[in-house]
Amino acid sequence: MTCHTLPIALLAVLTLPPRTALSAPDADGEIVVEEERPPPVASAVSLDREEIEAFPARSADDLLQAMPGLHESAHGGHGKAYQYFIRGFDAVHGADLAVTLDGIPLNEVSNIHGDGYLDLHFLPTLLVQGLDLTRGASRPDVGDFGIAAAADFHLGLAERGLLVEGGGGTDRSGLARLAWGPGAEPGTFLVAEAEAGEGGGEHRAWREARLGGGVERWFGRSRARAFALGHLGRFESPGVLRADDLEAGEVDFYGAYPESGGGASARLLLGADLARSRADRGASALTWGWLRGLDLTRNFTGYAQDAEHGDGLLQAQRGGALGARARAWRRWPLGARDLLTTGGLDGRLDLLHQWEQAIAVDGTPWEDRIDATVRQGDLGAWALAGFDPWPWLRLEPGLRVEWLGAGLLRHIDDEGAPVAEPAWAFSWAPLLCPRASAVLLPERPLSLFADYGRGFRSPEARGIEDGDRAPVSTADTEEAGLRWRPSGRVELTLVGFHTFVSNEIIFDHAAARFLASGATRRVGGEATAALSPWPWLRTEWELTWADGRYVASGEALPYAPRWLASGGLGPHGERGDLAWNSGLRGWFLGPRPLPEGFYSRAAFVLDATAHLTWRHWVLDVEVDNLLGTHWRDGEFVYPSWFDRGQRESELPALHITAGDPFAVRIAIGRRFS
Amino acid sequence: MRTLPFVCLLAACAPEARRSAQVPMLATGAGAASFPAAGEVEVILAQALVTIADLRLESPPEVSLLSRLAPLRSAHAHPGHDFSGNVACELLGVWDLDLLGEPLDLGEATCLEGALATGRVLLSGDAVVVLEGEAVLPDDTVRAFAFELPLDEEVVGIPIDATIDPDDLLASITLTAQPATMLSWVDWNTEDADSDDLLTLSDGLLANTVPFGALSSSSWTLTPNP
């Protein structure tokens, strides 16, 4: 590592539980990494910028698919949060997946559309310098929504200088991008993007713009950073199609019913952090805040609930959040081995006003359903101790303590009438979440892992009762695995996991109440292989199996995938002035259990991406759905009534959302150093 | 869809989805045109017509738990009111049923594999139920009656104990209306308020008791025919 990578090394040390030990500066003042400790959990995956560039991803959301066993569904179209599935969990829009940006939590508590709503469209993929993905709940620094997995994006513009880029695609899209990185620090940048398109079908148009700026400065061993990211987007959503309408030829696979919806999204995110590190200790402090606006319109059932107006809904919210985080770590010499202690404090406050209205087909509101103000707070403290009692064993016990509180002020009652004297309802709950990891033979090519963790999800404020203990969802996960790394070019991992939820709590949005549906159990296994058979080729392969069931009845949990396989090839190299970094990635999703005894279809999709540079020129190529398959992105089972010329059926019917069709997008840019 | 061999292999290991079947549905009236009622009254029907629509049969309530958790439909706290996901058999249409006539072939219902527990049928229209005839009281007084009910409600909770198995299909399912039960809540001594020598819904409490009888689940049965 050289001097310009010093900030990157310290960044890795300061923002995560330390995995990389540093030595004292050498004579030239450079700090050299002496040792790289293996990650504490078998199911952790980290991507650097080079790997991110070679991963087919149109947005930061798509990058999460690099997590083995995670499947995403973009059934809302281009602009709405994805639906996530992992390890037998239907995490809806992020309810069981904690995602952060350099420690800033991105899940939206009590979002009107879904608790834990995760909208990553504000983050340009160009600014994703690294990504850490962890399955399970064994990391004590992971807080709310970290039930099944966690991801941490690292912000920075890797390539320096000025890039101006523009392009378009066969999906009727266009893109213009400007990225400026003066100096050497990746945290100093200015990025502007504008993107628009009609999509590969009906009612899929979108428009969005992103603007981001950051400043990074070093003062000796201290780093100060401040950044701002803004996003505006407006999008259409094709909604669902009845499978029987598709089979009858009444609607095209890439069509849409007239009742389909859309939305608009706006966000301004600000962050500032200060970090300092020495060879044996370090600390960091982060403060952040965001302003947020979201409008979503949808109609998934046609006229089944209201034959006159239709079942359209407008869900909207305005608000913001602010928070802070502090971290500290210290290495204590204990004879031949060190004790590494890490701890932190997290705090967050969310302020929301949200409402829901029934709307007619033309968008006119005709009934108020929800109008509420929410105040929600979260305080967390955690500690981790890492030590090697023997050379062949590494232990990392940890503990997280949390206090969750929510306040709700209803402006209208369940009938939609204004509340004469609105009164706040408050509810709160403390939590104790033990977490631990153990590694056997940590320094050997073959090492064994075992982890335990309790994850949790804060309650939706609209379901709380005043004075009651807040219904917090918790899940205990154990996993064990082995990692084999005989060389720097081969890494094989096998992991088995088990998750027990004592009482699966689901929020019924229609009745605004929590439904306790009983204990559930999820078991599964994952096999991954990362190979670099030649210096110019990376390959990754993953196979995941998960089975989730209600303990009492044995019934399968609906929607969560059983089988998921993915693999990719990443040719890269240089020849003279030409350099390339590319990726071909395919994934297979096995049939999933759906409600009412239905099963979804299997899907297989192949995507490709290529990033080429020649002197000052840049060429980016993205190919979606290389095989042009008609794959079903989302499948749901429920009654609906879209054709009022027919009598209304209440029989549960299969509904689908179409996956992206074949498309090619090309962008050409020029660098100015 | 083009698939690779290993995709086909894995897809072949998929569990079998819930199957559907077409089951013939019949409707009829039960009992004779003449029947005894409470208080030693003899009722003689001259006409008994019912217009029914949209017959639906439902799974047992415990099976519908997961459907309540489906993210795109509403849910209710109490079973029996939750239509989302509960319907397992359905035949849509409108039929005029003569309760004194021959059984009516309604057509074939689309049914999903599994158990059935209850059924419901819609009574909707200006003259959905027409019951006309005479009631002979113990003192041989004859009370002529003509009840024409405008309704727009469902008869719910009609019990049925059956299983849809595509490998062992039912021959049919019969919906039976019991006019005697429909009229069992009628007080045949009700005063003829409008002095038209005819008992109608405008007399006494008959505007409540006659519709109650028509919509009561005890006035209807669903019978699987193996």
Side-chain angles (χ1 to χ4, degrees):
Chain A
M1 297 183 73
T2 57
C3 186
H4 81 273
T5 60
L6 162 63
I8 299 173
L10 287 182
L11 179 70
V13 170
L14 297 175
T15 59
L16 294 170
R19 302 194 200 113
T20 306
L22 302 178
S23 70
D26 63 14
D28 296 326
E30 296 182 354
I31 295 183
V32 179
V33 174
E34 274 195 335
E35 134 193 19
E36 182 172 319
R37 299 174 62 168
V41 296
S43 52
V45 173
S46 291
L47 276 70
D48 58 22
R49 178 62 204 171
E50 195 176 341
E51 292 164 321
I52 288 168
E53 213 167 61
F55 192 90
R58 188 167 193 171
S59 66
D61 313 77
D62 291 333
L63 289 173
L64 292 176
Q65 293 202 103
M67 185 183 305
L70 184 143
H71 176 70
E72 295 178 345
S73 177
H75 56 80
H78 202 78
K80 187 181 167 187
Y82 289 14
Q83 185 172 3
Y84 300 95
F85 305 91
I86 182 162
R87 285 194 164 184
F89 281 92
D90 171 8
V92 200
H93 293 297
D96 303 307
L97 173 64
V99 177
T100 52
L101 173 65
D102 280 337
I104 299 174
L106 300 180
N107 298 77
E108 298 178 38
V109 298
S110 296
N111 181 282
I112 182 72
H113 186 71
D115 195 22
Y117 192 85
L118 203 54
D119 181 357
L120 303 180
H121 291 91
F122 72 95
L123 181 59
T125 55
L126 203 63
L127 286 179
V128 178
Q129 188 172 225
L131 177 60
D132 294 316
L133 306 163
T134 308
R135 284 103 73 204
S138 59
R139 282 179 49 186
D141 59 319
V142 173
D144 200 0
F145 304 105
I147 282 187
D152 192 22
F153 286 87
H154 301 301
L155 187 68
L157 184 63
E159 299 213 45
R160 314 311 296 169
L162 175 66
L163 169 69
V164 180
E165 192 173 22
T170 60
D171 55 355
R172 303 177 290 172
S173 67
L175 164 72
R177 173 185 292 142
L178 181 147
W180 181 44
E185 292 81 11
T188 300
F189 60 84
L190 181 66
V191 171
E193 289 183 346
E195 192 175 344
E198 297 299 314
E202 291 180 35
H203 213 77
R204 287 163 165 79
W206 80 97
R207 312 277 184 270
E208 59 182 346
R210 303 181 193 84
L211 183 64
V215 176
E216 178 180 339
R217 288 289 180 267
W218 285 85
F219 310 95
R221 286 178 174 269
S222 299
R223 184 203 68 193
R225 197 172 54 152
F227 52 89
L229 299 171
H231 173 252
L232 290 173
R234 184 170 292 277
F235 54 93
E236 295 177 322
S237 176
V240 297
L241 299 175
R242 287 180 63 107
D244 48 15
D245 284 349
L246 273 174
E247 288 161 16
E250 294 184 16
V251 64
D252 184 72
F253 189 78
Y254 296 110
Y257 294 129
E259 297 82 5
S260 56
S265 175
R267 186 194 300 259
L268 175 63
L269 183 147
L270 306 171
D273 65 17
L274 180 65
R276 180 174 174 83
S277 171
R278 290 166 48 178
D280 64 341
R281 69 190 71 182
S284 65
L286 163 73
T287 183
W288 59 270
W290 77 50
L291 297 173
R292 179 86 166 106
L294 178 66
D295 289 349
L296 293 173
T297 60
R298 64 180 175 96
N299 185 344
F300 291 124
T301 52
Y303 298 86
Q305 298 184 42
D306 190 289
E308 179 187 355
H309 300 98
D311 304 340
L313 274 183
L314 163 67
Q315 296 176 317
Q317 69 178 45
R318 306 285 184 267
L322 51 95
R325 186 190 77 161
R327 294 282 187 273
W329 65 271
R330 181 162 182 177
R331 192 182 306 279
W332 310 82
L334 295 177
R337 301 266 161 195
D338 295 344
L339 169 68
L340 180 63
T341 58
T342 315
L345 296 171
D346 299 309
R348 171 177 180 169
L349 179 65
D350 288 80
L351 315 168
L352 310 172
H353 176 219
Q354 53 188 210
W355 61 96
E356 182 177 284
Q357 295 173 305
I359 58 174
V361 178
D362 64 358
T364 306
W366 62 271
E367 184 178 80
D368 293 326
R369 300 276 175 86
I370 295 170
D371 190 349
T373 300
V374 171
R375 303 281 184 263
Q376 201 152 343
D378 181 356
L379 289 174
W382 61 273
L384 173 76
F387 61 100
D388 301 353
W390 295 283
W392 45 268
L393 179 64
R394 176 166 298 152
L395 298 176
E396 292 190 353
L399 182 68
R400 186 176 182 96
V401 178
E402 206 85 9
W403 178 91
L404 300 168
L408 175 71
L409 184 67
R410 294 183 189 274
H411 302 289
I412 61 175
D413 60 21
D414 292 343
E415 307 303 317
V419 174
E421 294 182 5
W424 282 93
F426 290 102
S427 184
W428 61 277
L431 284 176
L432 204 61
C433 300
R435 298 173 184 186
S437 298
V439 182
L440 198 63
L441 306 174
E443 312 295 338
R444 295 296 191 89
L446 178 64
S447 54
L448 305 176
F449 299 81
D451 308 304
Y452 163 78
R454 173 170 294 167
F456 64 91
R457 181 197 325 130
S458 55
E460 288 209 48
R462 284 184 291 115
I464 66 170
E465 297 291 337
D466 189 34
D468 281 3
R469 183 187 173 100
V472 179
S473 298
T474 60
D476 292 294
T477 299
E478 303 88 33
E479 64 177 23
L482 64 88
R483 172 177 274 125
W484 183 50
R485 288 197 295 183
S487 72
R489 292 186 177 182
V490 177
E491 182 172 317
L492 304 177
T493 305
L494 288 175
V495 179
F497 67 87
H498 168 266
T499 301
F500 178 76
V501 180
S502 60
N503 202 352
E504 194 94 10
I505 297 176
I506 307 296
F507 185 65
D508 174 5
H509 287 77
R513 67 169 67 93
F514 291 99
L515 300 176
S517 61
T520 59
R521 177 171 285 116
R522 295 163 173 85
V523 296
E526 298 155 352
T528 63
L531 311 168
S532 296
W534 298 284
W536 53 269
L537 181 66
R538 293 182 302 267
T539 72
E540 289 91 24
W541 307 94
E542 293 130 12
L543 179 64
T544 301
W545 171 78
D547 183 78
R549 294 184 182 273
Y550 283 94
V551 172
S553 65
E555 282 194 58
L557 292 163
Y559 299 113
R562 291 274 181 83
W563 286 100
L564 179 63
S566 63
L569 303 173
H572 58 96
E574 296 179 18
R575 181 165 293 180
D577 292 333
L578 179 67
W580 62 93
N581 190 10
S582 59
L584 176 68
R585 183 176 182 271
W587 57 264
F588 167 79
L589 182 66
R592 294 174 288 152
L594 301 176
E596 299 294 332
F598 283 72
Y599 274 84
S600 68
R601 283 189 185 177
F604 176 70
V605 178
L606 204 58
D607 298 320
T609 187
H611 176 77
L612 294 91
T613 60
W614 180 71
R615 296 182 181 172
H616 299 294
W617 295 95
V618 175
L619 175 67
D620 286 303
V621 181
E622 295 174 354
V623 182
D624 298 336
N625 193 1
L626 198 59
L627 301 180
T629 57
H630 280 194
W631 62 283
R632 296 178 172 186
D633 186 21
E635 294 186 73
F636 312 93
V637 177
Y638 57 86
S640 69
W641 187 31
F642 285 98
D643 183 1
R644 287 186 294 178
Q646 304 290 326
R647 296 185 73 84
E648 180 185 356
S649 170
E650 294 184 23
L651 209 56
L654 184 65
H655 297 69
I656 70 110
T657 55
D660 286 336
F662 169 80
V664 179
R665 289 180 298 281
I666 295 175
I668 298 174
R670 193 184 192 284
R671 286 200 175 278
F672 303 88
S673 299
Chain B
M1 174 181 161
R2 284 167 278 177
T3 56
L4 298 176
F6 96 97
V7 169
C8 296
L9 177 64
L10 286 176
C13 298
E16 200 169 322
R18 192 177 182 187
R19 297 173 295 172
S20 64
Q22 301 296 115
V23 178
M25 305 296 288
L26 306 173
T28 188
S34 173
F35 51 86
E40 297 181 9
V41 175
E42 185 73 14
V43 177
I44 304 163
L45 282 172
Q47 191 173 35
L49 303 173
V50 177
T51 301
I52 60 173
D54 300 342
L55 177 61
R56 295 184 173 97
L57 308 181
E58 299 151 327
S59 303
E62 57 272 16
V63 175
S64 71
L65 170 64
L66 287 181
S67 67
R68 284 197 220 114
L69 304 182
L72 299 177
R73 283 291 284 169
S74 61
H76 299 264
H78 305 286
H81 299 277
D82 178 7
F83 303 151
S84 56
N86 272 9
V87 173
C89 240
E90 184 178 74
L91 177 58
L92 302 177
V94 182
W95 305 273
D96 294 320
L97 178 61
D98 182 356
L99 301 185
L100 303 180
E102 295 297 315
L104 183 66
D105 184 355
L106 304 180
E108 290 189 332
T110 300
C111 296
L112 297 176
E113 184 177 13
L116 301 174
T118 53
R120 49 189 165 95
V121 63
L122 176 66
L123 306 182
S124 180
D126 291 334
V128 174
V129 178
V130 176
L131 298 169
E132 295 179 358
E134 293 178 336
V136 181
L137 303 186
D139 62 359
D140 292 331
T141 303
V142 177
R143 306 294 304 274
F145 63 89
F147 303 133
E148 292 189 10
L149 281 65
L151 290 172
D152 187 16
E153 289 185 52
E154 279 189 308
V155 182
V156 300
I158 307 170
I160 178 172
D161 183 7
T163 300
I164 301 298
D165 180 357
D167 297 325
D168 184 17
L169 275 181
L170 296 170
S172 62
I173 295 175
T174 302
L175 172 69
T176 305
Q178 325 266 358
T181 311
M182 290 181 185
L183 294 172
S184 62
W185 283 274
V186 172
D187 178 1
W188 297 108
N189 293 302
T190 299
E191 181 182 347
D192 182 8
D194 52 9
S195 304
D196 62 351
D197 292 329
L198 188 67
L199 281 179
T200 63
L201 294 182
S202 59
D203 296 318
L205 298 176
L206 296 179
N208 293 331
T209 56
V210 178
F212 179 85
L215 292 169
S216 170
S217 60
S218 58
S219 301
W220 301 80
T221 60
L222 282 165
T223 308
N225 306 308

